[in-house]
Amino acid sequence: LFLLFFTTHEELQTLDVDDAFFSTPEDIAARALKPQGGVNFIRTFKKQAEDQAVNLPPNLDELVQNATYVQSPDNLVWQYFYNLKGSREYPFPGGVFQWARYRINGTGLNETEKIFSESLNKHENTLTLATLRITSNGLGQPHFHFNANEMGYVISGCGQAGVILSGGTANFNIGIGDVIFFPVGTQHFLKSLCDEDLLLVLAYSTGNQLETLRMNDYFRGTADHILAQLFFKNQAEFQKFPKSAK
């Protein structure tokens, strides 16, 4: 079972090998592929009623005798492959992140992480992927991303998502199999409501380092005399908010 994200907001356009083959004139395919039997052999191929990229033939075991592949060199594989589940965990109050991402400062990354990180940044329209685990009754605090849309898929658990708008908050419940979407610059939060941890796979529409601003960071980053004016509270009252942990 694969969970796939594609870097397009338009209708996805895909051309499979069999579709390309059957769209090619028989004589052209014969001259390009040069099979034994020529064009007569090409004519023995029949287009199936179902899409074979999705529906496997019922007699697949009879058709395929060997489906092994030779493993490519690691330095080549690591440009396209990253072991997210086995990667370093980044805890926060209430949960933990694991990242497949680009980082401007590669200090401390191992060889695999460096190659994958640099590969992401070399290509246009790539994705930053992550898993987010929020412990039971935990909170992923309000935040927004400066440079990416965010899309997520709920693997386990249940919870609530919120989108904070100027006129109020749009709340909705989420559970296994649900997809959520937060446009770039939209402040949002996630919280777990079940006894089981809330686990999501997240995709961010950037191959650059993800830029995020969290509520505790921008609130505590605002001068207390400014906050006093905004909220009509004594300046000293804002010392009750703890400083953001780095």
Side-chain angles (χ1 to χ4, degrees):
L1 176 63
F2 291 84
L3 176 62
L4 303 177
F5 294 88
F6 300 93
T7 54
T8 179
H9 66 282
E10 299 176 347
E11 184 175 352
L12 184 65
Q13 299 182 13
T14 303
L15 184 63
D16 296 324
V17 173
D18 57 335
D19 293 331
F21 179 86
F22 289 114
S23 297
T24 304
E26 294 174 344
D27 61 318
I28 300 299
R31 293 177 65 179
L33 300 175
K34 297 180 173 61
Q36 295 181 15
V39 71
N40 290 328
F41 178 73
I42 294 296
R43 288 170 179 162
T44 65
F45 288 77
K46 303 299 180 186
K47 187 173 179 62
Q48 302 299 311
E50 296 181 322
D51 185 354
Q52 295 308 300
V54 178
N55 301 287
L56 299 178
N59 61 337
L60 183 62
D61 291 340
E62 300 174 12
L63 299 175
V64 178
Q65 287 77 47
N66 186 347
T68 60
Y69 296 88
V70 177
Q71 178 72 24
S72 301
D74 286 345
N75 62 344
L76 177 60
V77 171
W78 293 341
Q79 296 180 48
Y80 310 100
F81 170 81
Y82 185 78
N83 179 9
L84 180 57
K85 187 176 182 179
S87 66
R88 176 182 171 185
E89 295 185 346
Y90 292 86
F92 62 92
V96 63
F97 263 107
Q98 288 180 282
W99 292 96
R101 59 174 173 169
Y102 168 71
R103 277 176 281 182
I104 296 175
N105 184 355
T107 302
L109 300 182
N110 61 37
E111 187 178 1
T112 305
E113 292 171 325
K114 286 181 180 178
I115 292 175
F116 185 80
S117 173
E118 292 170 1
S119 178
L120 282 185
N121 192 241
K122 287 178 181 177
H123 302 282
E124 294 183 3
N125 301 324
T126 50
L127 289 173
T128 290
L129 287 179
T131 58
L132 167 63
R133 182 181 297 276
I134 301 179
T135 55
S136 179
N137 297 313
L139 172 69
Q141 68 161 293
H143 65 280
F144 61 89
H145 308 292
F146 291 100
N147 62 338
N149 299 309
E150 177 181 345
M151 182 170 281
Y153 176 83
V154 181
I155 295 177
S156 61
C158 68
Q160 187 177 64
V163 178
I164 302 173
L165 307 170
S166 58
T169 300
N171 295 309
F172 48 94
N173 293 327
I174 55 175
I176 296 172
D178 288 341
V179 171
I180 54 176
F181 173 67
F182 304 118
V184 59
T186 302
Q187 186 168 223
H188 56 278
F189 63 85
L190 293 167
K191 61 180 179 179
S192 174
L193 298 178
C194 294
D195 292 335
E196 182 182 6
D197 292 352
L198 177 62
L199 178 62
L200 303 98
V201 175
L202 302 177
Y204 303 89
S205 59
T206 180
N208 295 319
Q209 183 165 302
L210 186 66
E211 298 176 5
T212 301
L213 184 61
R214 293 175 175 80
M215 186 176 188
N216 62 342
D217 290 326
Y218 68 71
F219 198 86
R220 289 301 307 161
T222 304
D224 53 14
H225 67 275
I226 299 296
L227 294 173
Q229 297 176 56
L230 291 174
F231 295 102
F232 292 84
K233 290 183 73 67
N234 188 288
Q235 183 174 353
E237 290 285 293
F238 295 96
Q239 299 302 316
K240 295 178 181 180
F241 293 100
K243 292 188 178 297
S244 302
K246 296 298 182 183

